[in-house]
Amino acid sequence: MESIGIPTRVQTAFRMSEVAEPYIRRRAVRHLEKGRVVIFAAGTGNPFFTTDTAAALRCAEINAEVVLKATNVDGVYDDDPRRNPNARLHDTLTYHEVTSKDLSVMDMTAITLCQENNIPVVVFNLTKPGNISKAIKGERVGTLIGGTWNSTVAMT
């Protein structure tokens, strides 16, 4: 990102001073206020918490508008598309649909944290050119959980 002129900071719960600064909520918010992109790396620093939960937690802590979950499939399907060629891609889902259908999008702690904090989740394919840009701009890409496509989900 920095190579194309986007000011960026990486923060991590683990001490890695050579590659990232420590995660401090106030510092992260300040970077965002200055127009920088903040990348949260290495989870929460606590055992038993996935990186999905870390993403949901950090989003809640900084009052982010959306979680962008980049993955290796086009979004959330009703079945595994690698095993079932007839699997159907969902355009939108509610948090309740994710939990009640036990869709393996994110762990239940992460999806519940997003639901409790009204944070929509966009699940999209990281490997398709242009998808990251679409997700950041709030354009339709992948599956939207907990929101509607006609509302603004782009990060500001």
Side-chain angles (χ1 to χ4, degrees):
M1 287 179 159
E2 289 181 338
S3 68
I4 59 170
I6 299 171
T8 308
R9 297 294 184 273
V10 178
Q11 291 192 342
T12 177
F14 292 105
R15 189 164 180 82
M16 295 184 229
S17 56
E18 292 81 13
V19 294
E21 62 185 67
Y23 171 72
I24 300 169
R25 184 193 159 282
R26 288 171 130 178
R27 186 179 288 175
V29 170
R30 186 72 182 125
H31 285 317
L32 293 169
E33 289 170 351
K34 289 183 174 185
R36 298 175 183 137
V37 171
V38 179
I39 299 170
F40 301 115
T44 64
N46 298 301
F48 309 112
F49 290 94
T50 67
T51 53
D52 289 341
T53 298
L57 177 62
R58 298 296 184 236
C59 282
E61 289 174 332
I62 65 166
N63 297 316
E65 296 175 15
V66 63
V67 170
L68 301 178
K69 180 174 171 61
T71 185
N72 60 359
V73 293
D74 292 330
V76 182
Y77 287 83
D78 61 357
D79 196 6
D80 185 344
R82 290 171 286 211
R83 284 186 275 154
N84 179 357
N86 297 318
R88 188 176 62 87
L89 177 66
H90 292 283
D91 185 47
T92 60
L93 289 165
T94 65
Y95 303 110
H96 179 72
E97 287 173 317
V98 171
T99 56
S100 67
K101 295 177 182 178
D102 199 25
L103 298 173
S104 55
V105 181
M106 302 171 89
D107 66 79
M108 290 304 145
T109 303
I111 203 70
T112 302
L113 193 53
C114 288
Q115 179 178 11
E116 289 173 353
N117 289 280
N118 254 352
I119 303 169
V121 179
V122 177
V123 181
F124 65 96
N125 191 330
L126 175 66
T127 64
K128 284 196 176 173
N131 273 0
I132 294 172
S133 177
K134 286 179 185 176
I136 290 170
K137 292 176 185 175
E139 296 175 12
R140 282 180 181 249
V141 62
T143 302
L144 175 62
I145 302 167
T148 57
W149 282 116
N150 59 3
S151 66
T152 303
V153 295
M155 300 168 104
T156 57

